[in-house]
Amino acid sequence: MFCDTHQVNQLTSLLLAHDFHHVVVCPGSRNATIVHNLNEVSHQIKLHPVTDERSAAFVALGMSLALQEPVAVCVTSGSALLNCIPAVAEAYYRHLPILVISADRPQRMLGQLDGQTLPQVGALQPYCSTFQIDPVTDEASRRVNNRRINEAIISLKNQGGRPAHLNVSIEEPMFSFTTPILPEERKITLVHPSPCNPLPQDVIQLISEARLPVLLIGQYERGDLRKEIDDLAQQHQLLVLPEVISDVEGNFRMNAFDRMVQTDASIVPDVVVQIGGNFVHKAFKSALRQSQDCRVVRITEEDSIADTFDHLHLQIQASLRESLKQLAEVLPHFHRGVTEAAQKLDNAWAELSEQRPYKADSLTMHFTMHALHEALTNCTAPFTLHLANSSAVRVAGEYFEGGSCPILCNRGTNGIEGSLSTAVGYAMQMWGLNILIIGDLSFFYDVNALWNTHLPNGLRILLLNNGHGGIFDRLPGLSQSPACTEYVAAGNQHFTAKGIAESFHLGYHQACSCDELPTIIHQWLAPSDSAQLLEVVLEEG
């Protein structure tokens, strides 16, 4: 039997109609009727219980990323909804279709000192809009609810993927379950055509005549563009500069660019074709912003303007695949500037890679990353690499190559929160090993991600513990502040994760020296009947 709250039955019916398969649910009384209904259709929609709402929303994000489909998170009223904001912001910038379903109390109770009551309409702005679902009083209100629920679900596909918020007002009495069948609800579908050869001739001419045309690839998770990009790279039609999180090989060139740009202006492009999302390398962004003659052509499937490098010349809303195919067909082969710049960067990285700062007598982040890379080179099991923000993603980019395996990172807002929860959500839906590289601040901040009865056995957490936020060591001049260590970098704390692993039933491994690390890494990666945590106690400051 379903609940007797008609707007909740409408919602349930339309979630089924729009082929939702997964909902992360959080405890609460006001949302209990929604959870009840979803449990009644558990043969079609699988429920995933997560207690912490902030973590739950990131778990939904990770699931959506793994499945490449919309995933919902259902929370109760009040501050529970506000805890979803970090993950919703992340989903907004990464174009991931997360549907937040919140239960709400009657609007008349706002400001009346009633528990768990606050303004929920617009609470997740500016990252997503609220679609208000009110109690059904007549046929007109039923039709309004139908339209709004359809609108919210359709909006998940906007601009390549967006979060949305459905706020369901529920009156008391709530706990009556006598409705035998769900109502038949109208499903609305929206179709977007994608034309071939979307780039106009003047753009083709601009790129063809450039001194050094570059294809810059930020974070990309929406499909496989490797063949289209490799065609352009092999024929030296564009200098391909991908990030480590672009799912394209060649990201080591960005590391070489960082080292060379201060002394060799010839590698700074005059035309940039920008695709994908966020970036990691600051030196490239700084060089382009300081350039006087660079023009940027951004190709995207969204309609919002993003002038990342202060030189946006043209933004084209088009299919990336069709645009890249068109460029491969029409751009001249073996462009002289591209060939010379590619050779310079590849030679520079060959030299730099021999000088990477890992030494066998010091257990540093670089030594750990080198040891992990060596172990995974010989790993026969399929794996996905999850990188937390700050130092983890930057150092990993010097050892792992994009396209060699799935490499994921919460780079939408670049926050440290939610990295562990996102990896857990992804691992819950993907087979093989899911390896998260994470620093101590990010790990301890998001430890509630492990409060999960469905924690997958293939989850592997590599905790780089140096007792503070290592990224702050990279900021010039900050060390001169007496507040740096204790208050800015959250140092002098020296927590260990051993008790946490025991509490959440994870296998625990610890490495404190270079000699033992390779052996422990292999033990940590071995098949197991539980998730495994490896804590590396770093010697660097």
Side-chain angles (χ1 to χ4, degrees), residues 325-338:
K325 284 181 179 179
Q326 183 182 358
L327 289 174
E329 291 172 358
V330 299
L331 291 182
H333 291 189
F334 296 98
H335 185 288
R336 179 178 178 180
V338 170

Side-chain angles (χ1 to χ4, degrees), residues 54-76:
R54 184 187 59 81
S55 180
F58 275 109
V59 167
L61 186 147
M63 285 187 176
S64 177
L65 184 59
L67 298 169
Q68 295 290 293
E69 66 181 48
V71 174
V73 56
C74 178
V75 301
T76 195

Side-chain angles (χ1 to χ4, degrees), residues 498-511:
K498 183 177 181 180
I500 290 170
E502 293 174 351
S503 296
F504 293 110
H505 308 294
L506 278 74
Y508 178 75
H509 312 257
Q510 186 185 73

Side-chain angles (χ1 to χ4, degrees), residues 89-95 219 278 389 409-415:
E90 180 70 21
Y92 173 83
Y93 286 110
R94 284 171 80 184
H95 305 281
Q219 184 171 36
N278 215 318
N389 271 308
C409 178
N410 280 359
R411 207 63 198 167
T413 55
N414 309 346

Side-chain angles (χ1 to χ4, degrees), residues 213-228:
V214 161
L215 175 62
L216 182 65
I217 311 162
Q219 184 171 36
Y220 191 72
E221 305 163 323
R222 311 304 296 176
D224 187 354
L225 298 176
R226 278 173 282 184
K227 181 185 183 304
E228 288 77 11

Side-chain angles (χ1 to χ4, degrees), residues 335-377:
H335 185 288
R336 179 178 178 180
V338 170
T339 302
E340 292 177 353
Q343 191 66 53
K344 280 185 179 181
L345 292 171
D346 291 343
N347 290 342
W349 177 247
E351 295 179 10
L352 289 166
S353 62
E354 296 298 323
Q355 306 167 10
R356 284 182 293 190
Y358 61 83
K359 300 177 182 178
D361 59 351
S362 181
L363 188 54
T364 64
M365 191 175 297
H366 276 271
F367 181 85
T368 304
M369 207 71 71
H370 169 70
L372 176 63
H373 180 265
E374 291 294 304
L376 291 177
T377 299

Side-chain angles (χ1 to χ4, degrees), residues 125-197:
Q125 289 180 337
Y127 309 108
C128 72
S129 299
T130 299
F131 297 82
Q132 177 65 22
I133 308 302
D134 292 317
V136 174
T137 57
D138 53 25
E139 181 60 20
S141 61
R142 189 198 68 78
R143 287 198 300 268
V144 169
N145 281 349
N146 174 279
R147 174 176 56 80
R148 288 177 177 171
I149 297 170
N150 272 293
E151 279 183 332
I153 296 174
I154 289 172
S155 75
L156 296 171
K157 298 180 180 179
N158 287 353
Q159 301 174 356
R162 285 295 198 217
H165 174 208
L166 274 169
N167 191 56
V168 185
S169 181
I170 300 175
E171 297 266 7
E172 295 181 352
M174 299 183 290
F175 308 127
S176 177
F177 311 105
T178 64
T179 301
I181 59 173
L182 292 172
E184 290 188 13
E185 293 290 327
R186 172 191 54 161
K187 176 187 175 183
I188 301 173
T189 303
L190 193 63
V191 177
H192 293 285
S194 179
C196 296
N197 296 329

